[in-house]
Amino acid sequence: MSITKEEALKYHSEGRKGKIEVIPTKPCYTARELSLAYTPGVAEPCREIEKNEEDVYKYTAKGNLVAVVSNGTAVLGLGDIGPHAGKPVMEGKGVLFKRFADIDVFDIELNTHDPKEVIRAVQLLEPTFGGINLEDIKAPECFEIEEELIRTMNIPVFHDDQHGTAIISCAALINAAEIAGKDLSELKIVVSGAGAAAIACCNMYMLAGVKRENISMFDTKGHINKTRTDLNKYKAQFAQDIVYKDLADAMKGADVFIGLSKGNIVSKEMVKSMAKNPIVFAMANPDPEISYEDAIDARKDIIMATGRSDYPNQVNNVLGFPFIFRGALDVRARKINEEMKMAATKALAELAREKVPEVVINAYGGKEFSFGPEYIIPKPFDPRVLWYVAPAVAQAAMDTGVARKPIEDMNAYKEQLQERMGFSTEIVRVMVHKARKNPKRIVYPEGEEEKIIRAAHSVYDENIGLPILLGNENVIRNKIKELGYEENIFEIIDPTKSPKVNIYAEEFYKKRQRKGVTKKDALDMMKIPNYFGAMMVELGDADAMLSGLTSHYPQTIRPALQCIGVKEGFKIVSGMYIVIIKRRIFFFADTTVNVDPTAEQLAEIAINSAETVKMFDIVPKIAMLSFSNFGSAPYPQSQKVAQAVQIVKSKRPDLIIDGEMQADTAVVPEKLETEFPFANLKGGANLLIFPNLDAGNIAYKLLQRLTDAIVIGPILVGMKKPVHVIQKGDTERDIINMSAIAVVEAENAKQ
């Protein structure tokens, strides 16, 4: 990846300067809200905290706030550039905390080289922060600073330059040693570099099982051995009896090279002199101690890692610190101890052995990854790192007695982490839990597609449903084999060869014989997966169908309507999206099917959508939207909406509905209560019925593209049996979520 100087400067200076801002988490728009946020309302939490200091975690952001503290003496390979020049890095660190673990950060730059002043300044910050991340402070002062802060403070203190690299590279070393067929206790390790990161790495390796006497460490003056008299106490721990004349001498027969120094100091010949299946972690950045190209050219049996993102096995600290702090904050740990660090290491090592999900593959340009020499640590954009590492750290904190707020249900905690980052949503997890109680048979007409196979495997693995894949059996089985899945978990049917095709064709012919379909037409159509799958659902050989990944929307709906049809008592189907924005949940309908519905059709859409909303254990509160507020603009378009409201009220008096109303009236409770107190939508609406397809489609797409809203769907509403349309851009997780919704719908229909 190439980034120019101009691009970097423009990125940091355009618009709002820098990379961070502070945003209120509570509404602060009205005079009343401001009075609650500040005086006089703020006095109440102050009084409670005065009585019990622990309540500071209840009434303030302390529990999710970390200070990134630096004096700019060892910045990013730039050296001692000072606190001002180091500030962009500290802001960047804050961005990473937020992006990967939803932790808020204030960056604190201290204008001092005196470790005692740094220590005192940080100690005074304890009431403000839930944790302290020390950053870019040079050795050996960083050791003294961290040790004293850990000793004297009652919140987690973590120097990422030391322990971040140590944790990540140790996870990589554990996996590399396994692949190389070597025992950690027997590894002969050569380390170039003797600063904070190198010493912390070696300490972590020893915790994992490496022997101190097998570590040969080099600083700028050469090999660290017992003949030297210039060693500080941290380096002296690694002084050996043996004396190596230089790095090349030490690397002969070595199993592992760890580079934490500077670029281009290791030659091909030095790598060639290493033992069988050598492990080389050249982590100097941006120029490794030996280039990736030279290293793999020197040895075909090498296991190589660098600090760069453009080569396999990037040792990136972002795999560690956000998730370590997340776990520590969530149990309100007093410190981050060695057991918590090792728990993070082992969690990362274990995750690298798991099958890589599609979301990660997509993040890296579609490239496949599997455990082996080119994949020994997870990728930074693997969202699973959060709910692997943070719970492991939290559990270790509880096990070692440093947690002040233990987690009672670790599975629930993992789900909360997933929800926190938007990977999954609470509303979808409700459906997943419901689906697991009564898994159903789900037919996927696009069974040859790899994404469908991956999703279907997860649907089976998570006990959501029993997948049925349609398509060429040989093609599907070969892809299942390539993906490393067990074949017997899938039912595979080729519609062109199925003995059921004639039965389905006959039944379809009975339905459509007066609509222009001949027996031959019916037989030909049943060989089309979408028709075959829809008839499986209609005749009870499957409970639900999902399709649309490779076809246009009508190509999925049309077969479903012709084979299954609309729910009894209704005349149309409609499309609905779930929109989650700023932790509020809305349902938008109709967004995909009906271009210009009549008043009667709008009423049907509202009633059917309300029943679907109930599946999510949510009470529907329906707003029928228009450009008019309760007759303020009496045009035919708005009068149609008002008429639809009356139809719903007459047919379903149990439903909470009102309109016609403008969109802001529907979603801003204060506006509704102040200007239209007669309306019965107390607290605002959650189900928004749009007057036509233009409005609905435009609304959800604008929210999807211009905001951070999570948009789930479309959910096809009004079918007699569950059929849902997945879209071309849907991820594996989207398909899994829709499968869960379909299973719950099938169970509801059965009951």
Side-chain angles (χ1 to χ4, degrees), residues 17 50 62 123 130 238 304 368 406 427 435 443-444 563 594 648 666 671 704 709:
K17 311 307 179 190
E50 185 184 20
K62 177 182 170 88
Q123 287 171 333
F238 295 96
M304 175 81 171
E368 296 274 357
I427 192 170
V443 60
Y444 301 91
C563 296
N594 299 285
V648 174
K671 179 177 175 64
Q704 188 176 36

Side-chain angles (χ1 to χ4, degrees), residues 35-36 38-51 55 59:
S35 296
L36 285 167
Y38 196 50
T39 184
V42 75
E44 297 309 323
C46 291
R47 291 188 181 105
E48 294 301 309
I49 295 167
E50 185 184 20
K51 288 186 283 185
D55 278 352
Y59 295 113

Side-chain angles (χ1 to χ4, degrees), residues 558-570:
R558 190 179 300 111
L561 287 172
Q562 292 178 357
C563 296
I564 300 171
V566 179
K567 194 186 294 183
E568 287 184 20
F570 293 89

Side-chain angles (χ1 to χ4, degrees), residues 295-317:
I296 61 172
D297 185 56
R299 295 287 293 265
K300 300 305 177 190
D301 60 343
I302 195 170
I303 301 173
M304 175 81 171
T306 70
R308 292 178 52 145
S309 60
D310 49 351
Y311 297 118
N313 300 322
Q314 182 192 15
V315 178
N316 190 329
N317 283 19

Side-chain angles (χ1 to χ4, degrees), residues 274-294:
M274 295 177 71
K276 182 182 178 183
N277 299 327
I279 299 167
V280 174
F281 293 177
M283 295 179 281
N285 224 348
D287 299 316
E289 284 79 1
I290 180 171
S291 71
Y292 179 78
E293 292 81 4
D294 283 352

Side-chain angles (χ1 to χ4, degrees), residues 197-255:
I199 289 170
C201 283
C202 292
N203 285 330
M204 185 62 67
Y205 301 161
M206 289 189 296
L207 278 177
V210 170
K211 292 182 178 177
R212 186 187 300 271
E213 59 266 28
N214 290 344
I215 298 174
S216 302
M217 185 179 289
F218 286 76
D219 63 9
T220 55
K221 296 179 181 178
H223 180 227
I224 293 175
N225 59 74
K226 292 182 179 178
T227 67
R228 289 178 55 176
T229 59
D230 60 341
L231 302 174
N232 62 43
K233 66 178 183 179
Y234 304 104
K235 293 182 183 181
Q237 299 174 71
F238 295 96
Q240 293 181 305
D241 292 319
I242 191 172
V243 178
Y244 291 111
K245 63 179 182 180
D246 55 25
L247 197 60
D249 186 29
M251 285 182 68
K252 292 173 184 174
D255 297 294

